[in-house]
Amino acid sequence: MKKFYISLLSSALLSIVVLGWLIDAFSQQTQTSEDEFSVQSKMIMGFSKQLANIPTSERGRYVKQLANEFNLLIDYKHNESLALPPSLLLQMHTAGGLILEDQQGFYMLYSSQILSPFHISMRLDKRIDTEQRNDIFLTLLFYAGLCVFMGFIITPLAKRLTVLNEAAKKFASGNVQARIKVSHFTYIKDVELTFNRMASQIEKLVAENKLMASSLSHDIRTPIACLRFGLDAAIDSYGEQQIKKYLSRMESDLDHMESMLKSYLAFATLEQNANKLTYSSTNIKHYLSDILIQLAPKFESQMLNVQLNSSSDIINADLHWLARAITNLLNNACDFAELHIYLSAKVYEHQLVITVEDDGPGIAKENFNNVFSPFFKEEEHRNRADKSYGLGLAIVEKVADWHHGSVKVSKSNQLGGACFTLIIDQHHKA
């Protein structure tokens, strides 16, 4: 939008300057080099020279004769008939005389040493209507030119807004894949990019909700079936010990269902935290060491060797959610590692890069793009991670996205198992 504001202001200023210059040049060409009343001035001075040769007593009659002969409104009067200050009376003796304006128009007063204490007055005909028409024409020309100049700016904006409106209509009608093809020649590039990001986020949320509904309906069938079987078995049983056995199994199935629903609901409300990030700074090496200390009991129980290799860079992130993402990656590694887990971290060119590697079976290459999808679990890994609902890595991807980063999986060159790489952008801060 800053580009649009600057372009609009620059175009407005440029159009005003250029149009002002053109109109001024046009106005100067339409004006004559002589003064507007130069002819009348010369005429009245010529009459005064002729009056110098006329006796004083005959001058009034002679002026009337000139008025009739030349069809002019001229008169010969005494200076005392004028209610003018001395400064204006003196101006009547200058070349060109004194020009005054009244309700009827203009008139010229001229006197000299020969005519004093009398003066000649002449009514002046000024083409006021013509001047007014010229002023109106120039004003209309200025505004028309300004509209043309502004049209060059507004027209591309209107086109891009039309494109945005059409994309919004398609999106509102159910086409969640509708996007705007961003042009380099646009004033609202930020708006278009924001729309595309919003549309992508909504599309992702819609897909996740659909996937959640289908996964929940699928995964909940097993514990419900077990509950149904246990209930029927308990009803048909007569021994108290046997009934308690079935009730115990049913309680376990209920706990499983409760855990499943809590996980699903927690993931469904996870996106609400995207705008609640609290950024702070810390030493990445000390930060990772604290996380490993918290997970130490799990590593020891599974007899896993965890190696940390980290720089001592200062990082900026939401430390709570970053710890959640790293913990999920380490827990995932614990579920599949045989003996070793390798954790490394370093800042490269304003990006924090964290890798978690293990010596487990790894991820099939065809599932590299699916492993971060909610509720996804590889078939051969389901038995080893039976307490997982396929949400841990999906949460990692969300945390990375909140931090304007990314996460990817590959094969570990060092340990041979899976290698997860989490990238956090250090440019963005709250």
Side-chain angles (χ1 to χ4, degrees), residues 55-79:
T56 304
S57 59
E58 298 292 330
R59 289 177 179 177
R61 182 188 59 80
Y62 183 73
V63 169
K64 291 181 180 180
Q65 182 180 350
L66 290 176
N68 293 329
E69 291 179 357
F70 290 93
N71 194 23
L72 296 172
L73 297 176
I74 58 176
D75 203 355
Y76 183 74
K77 295 182 179 179
H78 198 283
N79 291 345

Side-chain angles (χ1 to χ4, degrees), residues 127-148:
R127 299 177 180 178
I128 302 177
D129 294 340
T130 303
E131 288 191 351
Q132 290 180 345
R133 286 195 296 269
N134 287 339
D135 290 342
I136 293 174
F137 171 74
L138 292 177
T139 302
L140 293 176
L141 180 63
F142 174 80
Y143 286 112
L146 184 62
C147 291
V148 172

Side-chain angles (χ1 to χ4, degrees), residues 1-2 186-195 197:
M1 292 302 291
K2 184 184 294 185
T186 176
Y187 301 116
I188 54 172
K189 185 176 182 179
D190 292 341
V191 176
E192 295 173 355
L193 291 175
T194 302
F195 175 85
R197 286 196 296 269

Side-chain angles (χ1 to χ4, degrees), residues 8 49 79 81 224 266 273 276 292 326 349-350 402:
L8 187 62
K49 290 179 180 180
N79 291 345
S81 64
I224 289 178
N273 298 290
K276 300 179 182 179
L292 292 179
I326 296 172
E349 298 180 354
H350 304 289
W402 294 346

